[in-house]
Amino acid sequence: MSFSPLVEKLMESLRVLPGVGPKTAQRMALHLLERDRDGGRRLTEVLGTALERVGYCERCRTLTEEPLCTLCASARRDDSVLCVVESPADQLAIEEAGGYRGRYFVLHGHLSPLDGIGPEDIGLDQLETRVAEDGVEEVILATNPTVEGEATAHYIAAQLETHGVRLSRLAYGVPMGGELEYVDGGTLTRAFSGRLPFRGE
Amino acid sequence: MSFSPLVEKLMESLRVLPGVGPKTAQRMALHLLERDRDGGRRLTEVLGTALERVGYCERCRTLTEEPLCTLCASARRDDSVLCVVESPADQLAIEEAGGYRGRYFVLHGHLSPLDGIGPEDIGLDQLETRVAEDGVEEVILATNPTVEGEATAHYIAAQLETHGVRLSRLAYGVPMGGELEYVDGGTLTRAFSGRLPFRGE
Ligand SMILES: [Zn+2]
Ligand SMILES: [Zn+2]
């Protein structure tokens, strides 16, 4: 015996959510159908709208339903410093740590040749144009301190070499092998103030 | 700084799911938007359809998109025994255990006067009609062994008293394969008072 086809299909669909296995999917489906249909309908509606309308900011590529995100639209940020991060979650973590007043560029991932993810897929052509045209003086390479993040930072450093910008990399306190998103604010702030010139060795 | 209004709204909507806090909702929203939009669209579609079409089986009240669930539609079950459970998940657990060949009735909860949940809300009028008209000889009260489940079982027992059916309750005791050390006191006490003659077979 199992649940009805449509209920089973709902459980299966819920497994697209990260960290949701069969037992959790079952609990979620039954909760929505038995106890919170209004909440379920609201989720359907908001998720549908978000998937349809949320795209990338034209300037920094973070997620937004507007052409420009609020950070890019703000006149109060320093155009001469550009921080390159892998994801919107990393960007948020840095903003929440406070202290950084420059701009951002969001890659949505890192180079991964084996998965067919090349420079254009993470917006590196757009990044180069931006650096060439927008008076950027320093690029902070804040990709994750993982093998892939390091490789991506090195690639960007080589790409931007001829543009005469200062390159730096987050330093102090960022634990090797960790992910920026989960680093606490104090550590992130120290990593910013202690950033070092990047040597694309 | 936070994410864009629509992304924030998506995170908030995901929190209708049981066990999903702010950090998990953020991870889920970003995963869907950045890495699995197709999966997200499928979820929207299936959830919308399920909420619209999945209702209660006319006979046993379990969740189904058909007028009758497969168990009620089956000709191979024993109509004379009816097992009353609180939820479709309980029904599935009993089916997966195997052995039971009778029918079911699903309450979708238990009596809870303080929350305004009375007999009609959990289908007890329908249960009484079923017992009166369908040749049921035994009703197994398989509500949860909690205060509310017990109270609900007692209420049903009183309600069905005049219909001349046999009433039974699942046996309480030490779970098979469990270790006494980890069994709670209430269960142990019930297991003692319900002890049976030992047959060293
Ligand atoms: Zn932007
Ligand atoms: Zn049924």
Side-chain angles (χ1 to χ4, degrees):
Chain A
M1 185 241 185
S2 53
F3 294 99
S4 74
L6 196 45
V7 176
E8 289 283 336
K9 210 171 149 193
L10 175 57
M11 290 174 188
E12 191 195 296
S13 306
L14 283 161
R15 298 196 53 193
V16 298
L17 298 171
V20 173
K23 197 73 195 166
T24 305
Q26 176 183 316
R27 210 174 69 241
M28 287 176 167
L30 295 180
H31 175 85
L32 291 174
L33 290 169
E34 295 202 287
R35 275 189 289 274
D36 197 2
R37 291 198 173 216
D38 285 344
R41 270 181 220 106
R42 213 159 44 239
L43 174 57
T44 306
E45 211 176 277
V46 174
L47 179 54
T49 309
L51 289 168
E52 192 186 303
R53 299 206 357 230
V54 173
Y56 289 176
C57 169
E58 285 171 9
R59 216 165 141 67
C60 77
R61 288 177 34 109
T62 198
L63 293 169
T64 177
E65 60 271 25
E66 304 292 341
L68 282 187
C69 75
T70 46
L71 270 180
C72 286
S74 165
R76 310 180 59 177
R77 306 288 298 218
D78 181 353
D79 284 318
S80 70
V81 193
L82 187 64
C83 179
V84 179
V85 292
E86 292 189 26
S87 79
D90 295 340
Q91 181 187 17
L92 183 72
I94 293 169
E95 281 299 295
E96 283 182 342
Y100 178 64
R101 303 301 302 157
R103 304 285 185 181
Y104 288 95
F105 192 86
V106 181
L107 304 177
H108 295 285
H110 46 245
L111 292 174
S112 184
L114 291 180
D115 302 310
I117 298 172
E120 277 93 46
D121 300 305
I122 58 171
L124 296 191
D125 43 351
Q126 189 182 336
L127 173 63
E128 189 168 12
T129 309
R130 169 114 176 242
V131 167
E133 294 174 0
D134 283 5
V136 174
E137 289 164 20
E138 177 179 358
V139 173
I140 303 174
L141 300 165
T143 50
N144 285 328
T146 57
V147 173
E148 298 85 356
E150 293 288 344
T152 304
H154 280 273
Y155 186 97
I156 297 172
Q159 183 191 28
L160 299 181
E161 208 173 18
T162 58
H163 293 283
V165 286
R166 223 158 48 244
L167 293 168
S168 57
R169 182 106 176 92
L170 297 189
Y172 299 57
V174 181
M176 288 304 294
E179 286 180 271
L180 278 194
E181 184 180 346
Y182 299 106
V183 174
D184 70 282
T187 305
L188 271 177
T189 304
R190 285 192 44 172
F192 259 80
S193 63
R195 66 189 185 271
L196 299 168
F198 187 78
R199 277 169 257 104
E201 285 147 359
Chain B
M1 184 242 186
S2 53
F3 295 100
S4 73
L6 196 44
V7 177
E8 289 284 335
K9 211 171 150 192
L10 175 57
M11 289 172 190
E12 192 195 297
S13 306
L14 283 161
R15 298 195 53 195
V16 298
L17 298 170
V20 173
K23 197 72 195 171
T24 305
Q26 176 184 313
R27 209 172 70 239
M28 287 175 167
L30 295 180
H31 175 85
L32 291 174
L33 289 169
E34 297 201 288
R35 275 189 289 273
D36 197 3
R37 291 199 172 216
D38 285 344
R41 269 181 222 106
R42 213 157 45 237
L43 174 57
T44 306
E45 211 176 277
V46 174
L47 179 55
T49 308
L51 290 167
E52 194 185 301
R53 300 205 357 230
V54 173
Y56 290 174
C57 170
E58 284 171 11
R59 217 165 141 65
C60 78
R61 286 176 36 108
T62 198
L63 293 169
T64 178
E65 61 271 26
E66 305 292 342
L68 282 188
C69 74
T70 46
L71 269 181
C72 286
S74 165
R76 311 181 57 177
R77 307 288 296 218
D78 181 354
D79 283 318
S80 71
V81 193
L82 186 64
C83 179
V84 179
V85 292
E86 291 191 25
S87 78
D90 296 341
Q91 182 188 16
L92 183 71
I94 294 170
E95 282 299 295
E96 282 181 343
Y100 179 65
R101 303 301 302 156
R103 306 282 185 182
Y104 288 94
F105 191 86
V106 181
L107 303 176
H108 296 284
H110 44 245
L111 291 174
S112 184
L114 290 178
D115 302 312
I117 297 171
E120 277 93 46
D121 301 305
I122 58 171
L124 297 192
D125 41 351
Q126 190 183 334
L127 174 63
E128 189 168 11
T129 309
R130 170 112 176 243
V131 168
E133 296 174 358
D134 283 6
V136 174
E137 289 164 19
E138 177 180 359
V139 173
I140 303 173
L141 299 165
T143 52
N144 286 326
T146 57
V147 173
E148 297 86 357
E150 293 289 343
T152 304
H154 280 273
Y155 186 96
I156 296 172
Q159 183 191 28
L160 299 182
E161 208 173 17
T162 58
H163 294 282
V165 286
R166 223 161 41 248
L167 293 167
S168 57
R169 182 104 176 93
L170 295 188
Y172 292 102
V174 181
M176 291 297 295
E179 287 178 82
L180 279 193
E181 186 181 346
Y182 301 110
V183 175
D184 68 281
T187 304
L188 270 180
T189 305
R190 305 281 301 236
F192 264 81
S193 63
R195 68 190 181 275
L196 298 170
F198 182 73
R199 278 171 255 109
E201 284 153 356

